[in-house]
C-alpha cells in the first residue's frame, strides 16, 4: 500500500487542522493506520492509531484534542487536530500495516510526511 499525507500548514495556537492520509490499494480497509510525528532533534513518536474495525487509541498528548477516523470507501484516514499548541509542531507521518499498534517498528508502509507548525 502507498500512502500520501497532506493537510499540514502554519497555524496559530488554538487553531485546528485536518490531516489526510490517502492510500492506494484495494485492501486498505484491512489495514490499521497510525499517525506519528517527529520534531527536529527528537525521535518519531506515536500520536494516534485506528484499527481496521474502527478501534482507536491516542497518545496522552493527543487525547481530548485529536480525533482519528477513516473512510474506507475513500481509502483515507483523517486526523482532526484541535486546540493546537506550539509543542505540536512536527512533521506528521501516517503509516499502515496489518496491525493495530502504537509502535513505529510495527509499520512497514509510510507516507512522506506533512509539516505542521504552530506559532504561539
Amino acid at each position: 500500500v502507498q500512502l500520501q499525507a497532506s493537510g499540514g500548514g502554519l497555524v496559530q495556537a488554538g487553531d485546528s487542522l485536518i490531516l489526510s492520509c490517502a492510500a492506494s490499494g484495494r485492501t486498505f480497509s484491512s489495514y490499521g493506520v497510525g499517525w506519528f510525528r517527529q520534531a527536529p532533534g527528537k525521535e518519531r513518536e506515536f500520536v494516534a492509531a485506528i484499527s481496521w474495525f474502527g478501534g482507536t487509541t491516542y497518545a496522552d498528548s493527543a487525547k481530548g484534542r485529536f480525533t482519528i477516523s477513516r473512510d474506507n470507501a475513500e481509502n483515507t484516514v483523517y486526523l482532526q487536530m484541535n486546540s493546537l499548541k506550539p509543542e505540536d509542531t512536527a512533521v506528521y507521518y501516517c503509516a499502515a500495516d496489518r496491525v493495530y499498534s502504537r509502535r513505529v517498528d510495527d509499520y512497514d508502509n509510510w507516507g512522506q510526511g506533512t509539516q505542521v507548525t504552530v506559532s504561539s
Side-chain angles (χ1 to χ4, degrees):
V1 62
Q2 292 184 323
L3 306 173
Q4 178 80 28
S6 62
L10 172 62
V11 297
Q12 293 186 330
D15 285 351
S16 298
L17 276 177
I18 301 176
L19 304 184
S20 299
C21 177
S24 63
R26 294 177 294 174
T27 61
F28 180 67
S29 60
S30 65
Y31 280 68
V33 176
W35 281 100
F36 297 81
R37 66 187 183 187
Q38 188 165 19
K42 295 188 176 182
E43 292 188 353
R44 194 167 296 188
E45 65 175 9
F46 170 75
V47 176
I50 188 165
S51 69
W52 56 93
F53 54 86
T56 59
T57 183
Y58 297 90
D60 287 345
S61 59
K63 283 180 183 176
R65 298 189 300 128
F66 295 2
T67 302
I68 189 171
S69 61
R70 67 189 302 159
D71 184 339
N72 287 334
E74 297 293 329
N75 274 8
T76 302
V77 169
Y78 303 96
L79 185 68
Q80 170 76 51
M81 303 189 297
N82 298 328
S83 303
L84 283 162
K85 305 174 181 179
E87 51 263 44
D88 294 318
T89 295
V91 177
Y92 283 70
Y93 299 88
C94 61
D97 218 313
R98 296 185 187 272
V99 295
Y100 177 39
S101 173
R102 301 160 66 103
R103 298 178 66 246
V104 170
D105 291 346
D106 286 342
Y107 293 88
D108 284 338
N109 306 288
W110 290 82
Q112 85 288 2
T114 184
Q115 176 71 48
V116 172
T117 303
V118 185
S119 63
S120 57

